[in-house]
Amino acid sequence: MKTSYVSNLAVQNAMRSTIQQGQLEVIKLQLEVTTGKFADAGAELGATSSRAVSLKNELARLENLKDTNAVVTQRLSASQMSLETMRKAAEQINTTLIATLGNDDASRLSIAKTDINGALQAFSAAANVQFNGEFLLSGINTDVMPLTEYTAGSPAKISFDDAFGAFKLANGITDDSEITAAQMTNFIGIVEGMYTGSQWTTDWSSASDQNIISRISANEVVPSTTNANSDGVRKFALAAVITTELLGLDLASDVRTVVNMSAQNYAQQASTGLIKESSTLGISESRVTKANTSLDGQIKLIQTHVNDIEGVDPYEASTRMNTLLTQIETSYTLTSRLQQLSLINFL
């Protein structure tokens, strides 16, 4: 019988190698128990991993749409608040005009002019509101303030003064009290053309007629802003200007009534136009909500498929990890005993 020489150092090294491999496997199993997925999906799935990658790419695209829709929702909400403020300003002008209809008292007219100036300032502030550094009512010109305020020296003020001066000169009018109701009706028609035509963009607006269009799903886009070139905005400015400039002049009662009634009509058109813009944005809000519901369903479905492909049984992984930890502890014990072996103990 022949015996072979076996070194206890060789046995220790073999045990050490087993422990190192076990520790790596424990780390892998701990990750799988925590995440519920393969620690290395590519190695486990092989060719099937390409399907998992495709599904994850689609999942990322859908989640990106959800993030974009959150911004769109905030933009729409801020735009709706601005339009609501502008609509209330139009209603304030209309209420003030109704209260002063047929009233020629200078102090009452002065108070009315102050109220209307306040409404115009609130309207301009709402029209020029910003969201995330972008002007909401500028259309696609988001870096440009959409509406120029009506003040002394502003283009709109200069244009009105020039038009009124030319009107009086053409009609031989030297005093405001000489203006007739028919002449005032004609002049208001001239001013209306300045606000409904191309001069609007020269005197008042720097906004684009093209609104921002946002993609809310794979095959659906919606307008997510409005702009200061809409009919409601133009008619509000027209109502405010003719009231501010003409109502307090030394006019005959019937002429002042023409100014008042015309301004009321424009204020009412402004309110209607702003409600229409708000309704358009409301439709966009509804479509975004429905798109998000659809996206949530798609994300849930795809996530389920990914989990089916990459998922592991956490209970099985936990059992394997506990078994492996027991084996490692046993290896530590054996290694410790081998290290204590010495020939001296047998001499």
Side-chain angles (χ1 to χ4, degrees):
M1 180 177 179
K2 182 179 179 181
T3 60
S4 300
Y5 169 75
V6 178
S7 170
N8 62 343
L9 179 61
V11 175
Q12 291 179 35
N13 288 337
M15 295 299 296
R16 186 180 297 111
S17 176
T18 300
I19 291 172
Q20 290 175 346
Q21 292 176 0
Q23 289 173 334
L24 293 175
E25 184 69 14
V26 166
I27 294 174
K28 172 186 171 184
L29 290 171
Q30 284 177 331
L31 182 60
E32 291 182 352
V33 170
T34 303
T35 63
K37 297 180 180 179
F38 290 121
D40 187 347
E44 297 289 344
L45 299 176
T48 312
S49 62
S50 62
R51 175 168 173 74
V53 171
S54 297
L55 289 173
K56 286 182 177 180
N57 288 338
E58 179 66 11
L59 189 62
R61 186 183 68 82
L62 295 176
E63 290 175 341
N64 183 62
L65 278 173
K66 278 291 299 291
D67 293 339
T68 302
N69 286 355
V71 177
V72 172
T73 299
Q74 292 173 355
R75 185 188 294 130
L76 286 168
S77 177
S79 297
Q80 290 280 39
M81 292 177 63
S82 294
L83 289 173
E84 178 66 11
T85 300
M86 295 161 73
R87 185 187 62 79
K88 288 181 178 178
E91 291 179 351
Q92 180 182 342
I93 287 182
N94 192 53
T95 301
T96 301
L97 289 170
I98 291 173
T100 57
L101 182 62
N103 194 326
D104 293 327
D105 181 68
S107 61
R108 183 68 187 87
L109 293 175
S110 177
I111 293 173
K113 181 178 179 179
T114 300
D115 288 344
I116 292 170
N117 277 331
L120 178 57
Q121 291 174 6
F123 185 92
S124 298
N128 291 327
V129 73
Q130 289 180 283
F131 171 75
N132 284 343
E134 298 179 346
F135 289 99
L136 291 175
L137 269 68
S138 287
I140 59 174
N141 297 340
T142 56
D143 60 336
V144 180
M145 187 170 70
L147 207 63
T148 302
E149 293 187 9
Y150 189 81
T151 58
S154 65
K157 171 65 173 172
I158 293 172
S159 292
F160 180 89
D161 290 343
D162 290 346
F164 195 41
F167 163 76
K168 290 195 292 185
L169 181 63
N171 288 274
I173 298 171
T174 57
D175 189 86
D176 295 336
S177 61
E178 300 173 3
I179 301 174
T180 66
Q183 288 174 331
M184 180 57 75
T185 299
N186 290 335
F187 175 66
I188 290 175
I190 293 172
V191 178
E192 180 179 352
M194 296 164 55
Y195 283 70
T196 58
S198 60
Q199 192 169 345
W200 170 260
T201 56
T202 302
D203 293 345
W204 282 89
S205 174
S206 298
S208 169
D209 291 332
Q210 183 178 351
N211 295 322
I212 294 177
I213 303 297
S214 301
R215 179 168 296 281
I216 60 173
S217 67
N219 54 4
E220 188 176 11
V221 295
V222 297
S224 57
T225 61
T226 184
N227 64 78
N229 297 330
S230 64
D231 186 65
V233 178
R234 293 174 186 246
K235 292 299 173 60
F236 178 93
L238 177 57
V241 168
I242 64 173
T243 305
T244 301
E245 297 291 348
L246 301 176
L247 194 64
L249 298 180
D250 182 20
L251 302 173
S253 293
D254 61 332
V255 178
R256 183 173 287 107
T257 298
V258 169
V259 174
N260 190 306
M261 295 298 293
S262 297
Q264 282 188 51
N265 180 43
Y266 293 135
Q268 291 164 7
Q269 291 182 46
S271 182
T272 301
L274 293 168
I275 290 173
K276 179 181 177 182
E277 293 297 320
S278 182
S279 298
T280 300
L281 295 184
I283 293 173
S284 294
E285 288 180 307
S286 176
R287 291 173 64 184
V288 171
T289 299
K290 292 179 179 178
N292 282 338
T293 301
S294 176
L295 289 173
D296 286 337
Q298 294 177 59
I299 289 172
K300 183 178 181 180
L301 180 62
I302 293 176
Q303 187 64 63
T304 300
H305 286 326
V306 172
N307 291 339
D308 287 344
I309 294 173
E310 294 186 343
V312 298
D313 184 348
Y315 298 104
E316 180 185 354
S318 179
T319 301
R320 287 170 55 199
M321 184 180 68
N322 291 333
T323 300
L324 193 56
L325 286 172
T326 301
Q327 292 175 352
I328 292 174
E329 290 295 331
T330 302
S331 298
Y332 279 138
T333 302
L334 291 175
T335 302
S336 175
R337 290 184 179 181
L338 287 171
Q339 288 175 340
Q340 294 175 6
L341 291 178
S342 173
L343 185 60
I344 297 175
N345 295 333
F346 298 94
L347 294 179

